[in-house]
Amino acid sequence: MNKAKVKLKVASIFWAVLFNAMCLADGNGAVDRGLFEIWGPGLESQNIVMPARYFFIRLLNYNKESVPDKFESNFQITINGGTEQNKPCRIWSNILNRKDGSLIVRYKVYDQCSRLEISVKYQQQHVAESPYLVEGLINPDSCYCPKENIDGVIDSWKCKAVPAQIRADFEPFQKIDWDVTRPKVIKQFDKPHSVSLCHYVIKDNQVYRKCYGNYVGFNMFSDSILLSLTRKAAVPDLEFFVNLGDWPLSAQHLEDKLPIFSWCGSADTNDIIMPTYELTESALENMGRVMLDMLSVQGNGEFPWNQRQSKLFWRGRDSNRHRLDLISLSRKHPELFNVSLTNFFFYRDEEDVYGPKTDHVSFFRFFDYKYQLAIDGTVAPYRTPFLLGGGSLIFKPHSKYYEYFYRDLQPNTHYVPVESNLSDLIERIQWAKANDAEAEKIARNGQEFANENLLPQHIFCYYFHLLNELSKVLESEVRVLDGMELVKQKNLSPCDCSQIKTAERDEL
C-alpha cells in the first residue's frame, strides 16, 4: 500500500469517527440518549441467574438505523455492587463488538451482591436509561436458591411459550407410566457395547441416576444442566431417560413408543429432543472453560459482511460420504470454495484421494468467509447454532436429522436449502454471489434467529419448559430406585436465600 493510500485510509477513519460523534450529539456536545438501545437479561439479574449475564447495546442514527462503530473504546461500561459485608462484589466483565453498530456486554458475578449498578456511558455521558439499578439480591450461579414454582421461574425469566418442538415431541406420549414403560426401555437399550444412556430421577429437587453402557462419560453434560436447573427452580419430581449418544434411539418401528431424551431427532424416531451437549455446555460455561459460545462467536469475527471473502468455507472430518463429495466439488470449482478434511476415520482408505488432511482452524476464522455449509456428519451438524450466530450465509442440505430448533427455521429466510447430495450447491453459491444484498439479508435473518432463540437464556428456558411439560404427563409415582446414586451439587457458594421462597433440601 503506497503512502497516498495510507493517508486516504487514515483520513477516512478520522472523518468516520467525527461523523459518528457529530450524529450522536446535539449542538452543545451532549450525547442524545435516545440514539442508544440497551436491552437483555443481564439488566434483570435479580430474576435471571446464569453463569454469565449479558446485555446488548446498539447505536442508532436519527433514522433509527444502526450506526457501525468499531471504536468501543468510546464506551465506558462499569458494573458494581456490594456484598452484605459492605465489600465490593467480585464481578468480571468483557465487551464483544459485533461490528454492526452493536456490542454485547457480558459479566460474571462471583459473590451474592446487592445494590448492583450498571453504568453505560458514551464519551463520558450516560446513554439510554443508564445507570440501571438492580433491586434485591443478585445471586451467583453457584447459589442453591431454587424458587418454589417452576412456572414462576418460567415467568420471571420471560421465557416464550412452550416451544412447538416440545409440543410435537410429547404428542405420542400423552401419558407416561414408568412402572410399565421403564422395564421396556431397559430391556431394549441395555446394550453396553452399542448404547449409552442414563436413567434419572429428580426427587425433592435432588438429582439421582443410574447409567447403562460402557461409555457414559457424556453424563457430565446432562448432570451439569440438571444440577444448574435445580439450583434455580424447585423442579417437580420426575423420572426420565437420557440418551448419551448422537443417534436417536426411539425408532418408530419398535413395538412400543419409548420416551427417550436425546440431543438429535430424526424423521423415523420418536425421541424427545433437547439442546445438544455442545450448545448446553456453551451456556453453562459461558465466560468459563469453553472458548466457543453463542455470544463469543458474534464478537470475535474480524470482518463485517462486505469485507468477507465470497467463498464457502468448511472444515471437518469424514463422517459422511457427502463430505467427500464436497471435496470433489471444490476441486472442480476452486474459485468458490475453501474446504478440506481435518481427519480421516470412516474413509481412511480414501485419504490418498480426498486428502491431504489439514490442520484445524479457529472457528472464529470461519467467518472470514461469507458462506458456510451445515452438512450432516453422523447425525445433524451440532455446529449449526454457532454458524447462524456468526452472521455468514448458511447453506443447509436436506436431512432426516434435526436439532430442537430446526422446526422454527425457514428456508430461504434463515438459510439457503440445498439437496442432500449437494447436486445444486454450485448453483446456489453462484446465486448468492450474483445477489449479494439478498444473501446478506438471509445471513442477517439467520443471526437474528440465533439471537432470539439460541442464546443462554433461551437454552435454560427450553429445559425449564421440557421438564415442566414432562411433569404434566407422568402418571406413575416418582421414587428413587435401587442402584441409583445421588448427583451432588459441587462448589456451592454461601448464599442468603431468605428473600425468596425456596425448595426444601435434605442434602447438598
Side-chain angles (χ1 to χ4, degrees):
M1 186 179 292
N2 60 39
K3 290 183 178 180
K5 288 183 177 180
V6 171
K7 289 180 178 179
L8 178 61
K9 184 175 181 180
V10 171
S12 298
I13 292 174
F14 170 80
W15 287 111
V17 175
L18 181 60
F19 176 76
N20 282 346
M22 291 173 63
C23 289
L24 295 170
D26 61 20
N28 298 319
V31 172
D32 187 341
R33 285 174 173 258
L35 296 180
F36 296 79
E37 294 180 342
I38 302 178
W39 76 99
L43 301 180
E44 300 182 51
S45 51
Q46 77 280 25
N47 293 322
I48 302 176
V49 180
M50 291 185 285
R53 275 88 161 182
Y54 56 92
F55 60 91
F56 304 90
I57 305 171
R58 178 182 291 133
L59 287 73
L60 305 170
N61 60 25
Y62 282 102
N63 293 322
K64 298 301 179 181
E65 300 167 330
S66 293
V67 178
D69 189 330
K70 297 181 180 179
F71 306 95
E72 62 264 34
S73 59
N74 287 330
F75 281 94
Q76 298 81 44
I77 301 170
T78 58
I79 304 172
N80 296 306
T83 68
E84 291 299 307
Q85 293 75 35
N86 293 317
K87 295 181 179 179
C89 286
R90 292 178 298 153
I91 300 173
W92 172 41
S93 63
N94 72 348
I95 301 173
L96 300 170
N97 189 338
R98 297 200 286 190
K99 299 178 178 63
D100 63 353
S102 67
L103 305 176
I104 304 172
V105 180
R106 298 190 292 182
Y107 65 98
K108 196 174 184 71
V109 177
Y110 294 93
D111 303 305
Q112 194 173 43
C113 300
S114 59
R115 306 182 303 280
L116 191 75
E117 179 179 297
I118 299 173
S119 171
V120 181
K121 295 181 179 180
Y122 189 85
Q123 297 178 348
Q124 302 299 329
Q125 299 178 61
H126 284 290
V127 296
E129 302 298 322
S130 176
Y132 296 87
L133 304 177
V134 183
E135 301 294 337
L137 286 177
I138 312 301
N139 289 334
D141 190 64
S142 53
C143 279
Y144 185 96
C145 288
K147 291 190 176 181
E148 188 172 15
N149 189 302
I150 195 170
D151 289 302
V153 174
I154 289 171
D155 183 60
S156 65
W157 277 59
K158 297 186 176 179
C159 298
K160 299 178 183 179
V162 179
Q165 186 63 54
I166 292 179
R167 293 198 302 270
D169 285 345
F170 277 105
E171 189 63 33
F173 307 109
Q174 295 296 304
K175 297 179 180 180
I176 300 176
D177 184 340
W178 282 116
D179 292 333
V180 174
T181 305
R182 183 190 313 115
K184 296 177 180 179
V185 171
I186 295 172
K187 180 180 178 181
Q188 180 67 41
F189 298 120
D190 187 9
K191 301 174 181 177
H193 296 290
S194 59
V195 176
S196 298
L197 79 163
C198 283
H199 181 196
Y200 281 95
V201 162
I202 299 178
K203 184 70 173 178
D204 298 327
N205 221 44
Q206 302 297 298
V207 179
Y208 302 83
R209 63 163 159 76
K210 179 180 180 180
C211 294
Y212 298 83
N214 290 340
Y215 309 100
V216 297
F218 272 31
N219 63 22
M220 63 181 287
F221 300 110
S222 46
D223 286 355
S224 294
I225 186 61
L226 293 173
L227 291 174
S228 180
L229 296 172
T230 54
R231 290 196 299 272
K232 299 167 176 57
V235 176
D237 290 350
L238 298 172
E239 181 176 355
F240 53 95
F241 287 82
V242 172
N243 170 23
L244 301 180
D246 285 329
W247 284 278
L249 293 177
S250 186
Q252 292 177 355
H253 65 74
L254 295 176
E255 181 179 353
D256 297 294
K257 294 179 179 179
L258 303 176
I260 306 291
F261 284 9
S262 291
W263 290 308
C264 178
S266 69
D268 52 4
T269 55
N270 290 316
D271 294 63
I272 298 168
I273 310 308
M274 311 178 293
T276 66
Y277 59 86
E278 287 189 61
L279 192 58
T280 299
E281 186 184 36
S282 77
L284 291 170
E285 292 295 331
N286 207 293
M287 297 184 76
R289 68 170 179 261
V290 300
M291 296 296 294
L292 177 64
D293 60 75
M294 289 301 297
L295 299 175
S296 66
V297 76
Q298 299 184 58
N300 282 284
E302 188 172 349
F303 303 109
W305 173 268
N306 61 3
Q307 295 178 27
R308 299 184 187 190
Q309 297 184 49
S310 298
K311 286 186 174 184
L312 187 145
F313 186 89
W314 181 85
R315 293 291 187 275
R317 60 179 186 147
D318 64 333
S319 49
N320 184 318
R321 183 76 211 184
H322 294 312
R323 293 183 171 195
L324 305 187
D325 298 336
L326 175 65
I327 302 302
S328 297
L329 276 177
S330 72
R331 291 174 177 173
K332 294 177 183 178
H333 300 272
E335 75 282 2
L336 300 179
F337 295 93
N338 181 341
V339 301
S340 60
L341 292 159
T342 55
N343 191 33
F344 284 85
F345 178 80
F346 295 90
Y347 299 96
R348 288 175 179 168
D349 57 338
E350 299 185 59
E351 183 173 357
D352 59 332
V353 177
Y354 297 99
K357 62 184 179 183
T358 59
D359 292 335
H360 289 273
V361 175
S362 166
F363 199 82
F364 300 139
R365 299 281 66 79
F366 279 40
F367 304 104
D368 294 351
Y369 297 81
K370 288 184 176 180
Y371 314 133
Q372 306 293 328
L373 185 66
I375 185 172
D376 283 0
T378 52
V379 290
Y382 291 176
R383 69 177 69 176
T384 301
F386 306 105
L387 292 177
L388 289 166
S392 289
L393 179 65
I394 311 303
F395 295 87
K396 185 183 178 307
H398 299 299
S399 170
K400 74 173 185 177
Y401 294 109
Y402 57 87
E403 295 178 61
Y404 77 100
F405 60 90
Y406 282 18
R407 180 179 291 266
D408 297 319
L409 284 175
Q410 297 298 317
N412 297 313
T413 297
H414 302 118
Y415 68 95
V416 175
V418 298
E419 296 296 331
S420 57
N421 63 4
L422 307 183
S423 58
D424 60 345
L425 181 58
I426 299 299
E427 176 188 345
R428 297 291 189 175
I429 297 175
Q430 290 172 338
W431 171 87
K433 288 173 65 72
N435 297 273
D436 189 67
E438 191 168 349
E440 181 183 9
K441 180 180 178 181
I442 296 174
R444 288 190 180 277
N445 289 342
Q447 188 176 52
E448 184 177 346
F449 176 90
N451 282 318
E452 293 179 352
N453 297 278
L454 305 178
L455 299 189
Q457 178 187 15
H458 310 125
I459 305 306
F460 282 106
C461 283
Y462 197 92
Y463 277 108
F464 284 134
H465 276 306
L466 184 63
L467 297 187
N468 202 31
E469 293 306 302
L470 174 63
S471 72
K472 298 174 183 178
V473 300
L474 292 187
E475 292 194 323
S476 48
E477 178 188 356
V478 177
R479 58 191 186 277
V480 180
L481 301 170
D482 291 343
M484 287 189 157
E485 61 178 316
L486 173 67
V487 184
K488 296 182 179 181
Q489 298 278 358
K490 298 178 180 178
N491 302 317
L492 292 177
S493 297
C495 298
D496 176 11
C497 305
S498 60
Q499 290 193 12
I500 61 172
K501 274 194 169 184
T502 59
E504 294 295 328
R505 71 179 190 267
D506 297 323
E507 184 176 358
L508 295 180

